[in-house]
């Protein structure tokens, strides 16, 4: 690692960071296997990538559907052995009350949906790809976590927990796969202007465009970086706050705005 990337699987490619990464990597000689839940948006991303010379295989599926994900991954891998998988599919929500600055509860069904997609969806994506990569003795795995995974915020408990799981699992998986020719990178973005953040009714410092984020992520993946976190001022802030004892930070975090439920 790193190696030349010619075949890439990206989940959550119908919008946001997944779509930006698909368009970034699209080029002649590159095969993209793209998944998403919105057929029209996924078709539009696929068309853009084909216009740039890439071969595109796209499948409309929900990453919670393990058999469907496995079938798509195995089919894509047979057509073009996957060099890089980017587990980008995810959802976000919190405890905010729509149209106000108040906080409510996080409905149990919301918390379960977030963990099902952000955790089980990652496992469903990575496991069939990893099996194929281990047979070949090469490959690369990119897991989309978040700076929210460094500390639990009262305004988005389930989301923070799910991203903390992805971060920790990816860090452990990287060490576990060392020596097998398979690299693992955990990506921890801050605020990026996507449909996921468009619903946030609070200021988002250091808000990046998805295109800028895609360039930084691709650069880090090319170097097989263990952690790709950005923007650096926000990264260092959440890292520092996460390292402090809760008795120092709880009062501050209780005052932060909440993501909409």
């Amino acid at each position: 690692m790193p190696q030349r990337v010619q075949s890439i699987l990206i989940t959550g490619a119908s919008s946001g960071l997944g779509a930006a990464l698909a368009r970034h990597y699209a080029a002649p000689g590159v095969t993209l296997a793209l998944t998403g839940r919105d057929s029209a948006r996924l078709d539009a991303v696929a068309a853009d990538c084909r216009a740039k010379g890439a071969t595109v295989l796209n499948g409309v599926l929900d990453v919670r559907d393990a058999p469907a994900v496995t079938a798509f991954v195995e089919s894509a891998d047979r057509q073009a052995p996957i060099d890089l998988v980017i587990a980008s599919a995810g959802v976000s929500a919190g405890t905010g009350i729509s149209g106000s600055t108040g906080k409510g509860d996080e409905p149990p069904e919301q918390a379960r949906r977030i963990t099902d997609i952000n955790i089980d969806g990652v496992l469903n994506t990575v496991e069939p790809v990893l099996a194929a990569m281990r047979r070949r003795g090469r490959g690369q795995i990119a897991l989309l976590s978040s700076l929210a995974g460094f500390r639990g915020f009262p305004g988005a408990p389930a989301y923070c927990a799910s991203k903390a799981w992805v971060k920790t699992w990816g860090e452990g998986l990287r060490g576990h796969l060392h020596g097998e020719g398979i690299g693992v990178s955990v990506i921890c973005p801050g605020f990026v202007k996507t449909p996921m953040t468009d619903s946030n009714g609070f200021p988002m410092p250091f808000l990046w465009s998805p295109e800028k984020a895609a360039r930084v992520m691709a650069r880090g993946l090319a170097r097989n970086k263990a952690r790709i976190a950005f923007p650096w001022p926000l990264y260092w802030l959440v890292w520092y706050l996460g390292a402090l004892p809760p008795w120092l930070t709880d009062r501050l975090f209780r005052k932060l705005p909440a993501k909409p439920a």
Side-chain angles (χ1 to χ4, degrees):
M1 294 295 303
Q3 54 198 316
R4 186 180 180 190
V5 174
Q6 294 180 305
S7 178
I8 307 166
L9 167 66
I10 305 174
T11 63
S14 57
S15 68
L17 287 174
L21 284 162
R23 293 184 174 108
H24 176 85
Y25 279 111
V30 173
T31 298
L32 297 171
L34 309 178
T35 78
R37 290 182 297 167
D38 188 299
S39 176
R41 291 190 307 193
L42 187 63
D43 285 344
V45 175
D48 289 345
C49 294
R50 291 188 181 105
K52 296 177 72 173
T55 299
V56 181
L57 316 169
N58 53 308
V60 178
L61 54 84
D62 188 324
V63 290
R64 292 173 291 184
D65 187 344
V69 175
T70 297
F72 179 81
V73 168
E74 291 178 346
S75 174
D77 194 69
R78 282 193 298 270
Q79 295 181 64
I82 295 168
D83 302 307
L84 167 65
V85 54
I86 303 175
S88 176
V91 294
S92 171
T95 60
I97 299 174
S98 180
S100 79
T101 58
K103 293 181 183 178
D105 293 325
E106 180 158 53
E109 60 273 17
Q110 173 179 291
R112 291 191 182 96
R113 179 172 180 266
I114 288 172
T115 54
D116 285 349
I117 294 174
N118 293 3
I119 296 177
D120 289 350
V122 169
L123 284 170
N124 293 341
T125 300
V126 172
E127 287 179 344
V129 181
L130 179 56
M133 288 179 174
R134 288 184 117 159
R135 287 193 297 269
R136 291 190 287 268
R138 60 180 175 82
Q140 189 173 14
I141 298 166
L143 306 176
L144 201 69
S145 178
S146 168
L147 292 184
F150 282 82
R151 212 282 188 187
F153 295 99
Y159 177 72
C160 291
S162 69
K163 292 305 184 179
W165 185 94
V166 171
K167 172 181 169 292
T168 304
W169 185 62
E171 291 166 349
L173 191 63
R174 181 181 174 93
H176 178 64
L177 295 174
H178 179 73
E180 295 192 40
I182 302 170
V184 180
S185 298
V186 175
I187 302 171
C188 300
F191 294 114
V192 180
K193 186 168 176 50
T194 68
M196 186 180 289
T197 58
D198 284 345
S199 62
N200 291 345
F202 50 83
M204 292 178 283
F206 306 104
L207 182 67
W208 281 21
S209 71
E211 292 76 21
K212 180 178 180 179
R215 290 193 298 270
V216 170
M217 289 187 282
R219 202 157 51 233
L221 291 173
R223 295 163 53 196
N224 189 33
K225 289 187 66 174
R227 179 184 297 167
I228 304 167
F230 56 87
W232 70 263
L234 201 56
Y235 167 42
W236 284 110
L237 177 62
V238 298
W239 180 89
Y240 178 70
L241 291 174
L244 291 175
W247 65 267
L248 275 177
T249 57
D250 277 352
R251 183 178 298 180
L252 167 65
F253 290 140
R254 285 195 295 266
K255 295 179 179 179
L256 294 177
K259 292 184 70 67

